[in-house]
Structure formats: C-alpha cells, structure tokens
Amino acid sequence: MTETQDDLWEVAGRRFRSRLVVGTGRYKSLEETAASIAASGAEMVTVAVRRVNLSDASAPMLQDFVPPDRYTYLPNTAGCHTAQEAVRTLRLAREAGGWNLVKLEVLGPPPFLYPDMAATFEAAAALLADNFEVMVYCADDPVAAKRLEEMGCVAIMPLGAPIGSGMGVVNPYMIRAIKSQAKVPVLVDAGIGTASDAALAMELGCDAVLLNSAIAHSQDPVRMAVAMKHAVLAGRAAFLAGRMGRDYKADASSPMDGLIRKGG
C-alpha cells in the first residue's frame, strides 16, 4: 500500500487521510503557522481557545491563515488546571464557533504539567453529558484510558512524555497496552521531539500523532513539518508491514549452504 487514501482513520464519524495532527501555537508568526501546517499535510489542527484570537476581527485571526473550511479545528483546553475551567472553555468554544468535537486536557502543576486524571474524569463526565464529542488527553495508564473510553470519549490521547519536553515516547510498553485494548482511536499526544519519535508512536500501532512544539520550536519549522509528515507515514507503513522478530543471536541474511570454500 502506497497511497494514503487507502488507509484512512476515523474519529466521531469524521475520516482523515493524514495521521498527523498539529497545533497552531508557539510559532513566531501566523504566516509561519500557516506555512508549517500546510507542509505537514495535516487535516486536523488543535486550537487553544484561551490563547488564540478566534473572535476579535480588529486583530490578526487564526482563521485568516489556517482556514476552517480547509482544516478540521479541534478546540482544546490548553492552560486549564481545573475541571471547571476546562468545561467552561469548551462551552465558550462551542458558542463561538459551533465546535462539538473537542480536545480535553486538564493539567497538574508545574514543573511537569502531568495530566490531572481526577479532574480529567470530572470534566469528561460533564462534557459528555453536554453532548460533546471528547478526545481526551490522559496519562499513559491503561486502566485510566479504558475508563475514559467506557465513559464515552471518542479518542484516547496518552502522553508520550510531559508537554513540550521533547523527550519522545518514554514508555512504549504502556502506549502499546493502551492501544491493544482500545476500541476507539489512540493518538500519542505530547512529548514528541523529532521525527523518529513520531515514527515510533506509529510503529506501536497508534492511529495518529499529535504534536506542536516539535515543529514550532525547531530551527526550521517548515522543514520539520515535512519531516514529521514522512515520519508518520513511515511509522504507519512499518506497523502494517509487521517488523521482524528480535533475537539475541545473529541470523545471516545470506544462506550458509553452498558457499565456495577453500580447496573445494
């Protein structure tokens, strides 16, 4: 399989060819934001409702550079540290733009900003009761991930590493465990630092990868966006191909039988 249209993924009834989801923040300018997202090939972009101008027409607006008729906007609760803040933020987003598919994240305190799972469960319950379609950022905990799925979340998004750390996928075993029991899409979200990290997440079987800082904080965001695009494609292809097994002893790629030997 060489064409991405043969390998779509789906969340809440929406289908996508690109398995790379990118953020819209942390860039030097909206022009750089637009160029990087276009280079990434992403079809879904996250929007930090509390940090991005979505309504003040007198100031530069994200929609003018990343048009919502071209990209699926995924409003998120970046910067929220309580369930109440998160729920209020997404209700405002729905009122402002009609968005119902949302990304929920509730963060613990610095310096790690690890997902606050108690608050995440509380916010998820309130949003689901309000008929939101919730893609949820969570700890790399198979028990918590399964509980969120059973509550009705439409996608599970365990962290690869703390937000903005660039540490990559630090616990691939738990990511694989989460994916193995999930009946909804699983996306690695947060911690990706470079292309090999994104490829690994896809090789583990994840449905997609979500990242922002890895592109926006690179020295050449547009070029890094291209690298991430190809990394996700390569990782997905490797997963579908099925990697060779691991072994502690060597196994020569050429057969030993029939070799020309001295004196033969």
Side-chain angles (χ1 to χ4, degrees), residues 67-158:
D69 59 351
R70 178 178 174 185
Y71 299 97
T72 296
Y73 274 30
L74 183 66
N76 71 25
T77 56
C80 292
H81 292 269
T82 69
Q84 293 74 24
E85 284 181 327
V87 171
R88 182 169 59 251
T89 296
L90 292 178
R91 284 175 176 163
L92 289 172
R94 183 159 66 180
E95 290 177 12
W99 295 294
N100 204 56
L101 179 66
V102 297
K103 176 191 168 185
L104 169 64
E105 61 180 75
V106 186
L107 303 180
F112 301 112
L113 300 176
Y114 201 76
D116 182 333
M117 292 311 300
T120 298
F121 287 127
E122 180 183 348
L127 292 167
L128 291 166
D130 205 8
N131 296 315
F132 280 92
E133 297 166 315
V134 180
M135 301 175 66
V136 59
Y137 175 64
C138 63
D140 53 345
D141 174 352
V143 176
K146 192 62 180 178
R147 179 179 170 189
L148 288 164
E149 178 184 335
E150 291 171 347
M151 290 173 65
C153 293
V154 298
I156 306 301
M157 307 169 75

Side-chain angles (χ1 to χ4, degrees), residues 22-252:
V22 296
T24 54
R26 300 182 174 236
Y27 293 93
K28 298 180 183 69
S29 66
L30 285 170
E31 289 82 2
E32 184 180 79
T33 303
S36 299
I37 292 172
S40 76
E43 298 167 292
M44 179 188 291
V45 297
T46 62
V47 179
V49 178
R50 303 181 74 190
R51 297 172 178 166
V52 173
N53 176 27
L54 294 171
S55 57
D56 183 1
S58 65
M61 297 179 66
L62 177 66
Q63 298 96 309
D64 295 332
F65 294 85
V66 183
D69 59 351
R70 178 178 174 185
Y71 299 97
T72 296
Y73 274 30
L74 183 66
N76 71 25
T77 56
C80 292
H81 292 269
T82 69
Q84 293 74 24
E85 284 181 327
V87 171
R88 182 169 59 251
T89 296
L90 292 178
R91 284 175 176 163
L92 289 172
R94 183 159 66 180
E95 290 177 12
W99 295 294
N100 204 56
L101 179 66
V102 297
K103 176 191 168 185
L104 169 64
E105 61 180 75
V106 186
L107 303 180
F112 301 112
L113 300 176
Y114 201 76
D116 182 333
M117 292 311 300
T120 298
F121 287 127
E122 180 183 348
L127 292 167
L128 291 166
D130 205 8
N131 296 315
F132 280 92
E133 297 166 315
V134 180
M135 301 175 66
V136 59
Y137 175 64
C138 63
D140 53 345
D141 174 352
V143 176
K146 192 62 180 178
R147 179 179 170 189
L148 288 164
E149 178 184 335
E150 291 171 347
M151 290 173 65
C153 293
V154 298
I156 306 301
M157 307 169 75
L159 80 169
I163 288 175
S165 68
M167 292 286 289
V169 181
V170 298
N171 198 339
Y173 307 102
M174 290 299 97
I175 299 296
R176 191 189 296 274
I178 290 169
K179 176 57 184 173
S180 70
Q181 65 179 2
K183 297 178 180 178
V184 297
V186 173
L187 295 78
V188 164
D189 178 5
I192 299 297
T194 191
S196 58
D197 301 331
L200 173 58
M202 296 305 299
E203 288 174 14
L204 293 172
C206 291
D207 297 278
V209 173
L210 194 156
L211 56 88
N212 187 177
S213 298
I215 294 176
H217 285 180
S218 67
Q219 295 181 33
D220 186 338
V222 173
R223 182 168 289 183
M224 183 60 81
V226 173
M228 291 299 184
K229 173 183 177 179
H230 290 295
V232 167
L233 288 170
R236 176 65 177 173
F239 170 74
L240 293 176
R243 63 157 290 142
M244 65 175 289
R246 292 182 170 89
D247 201 339
Y248 287 105
K249 62 181 184 296
D251 182 14

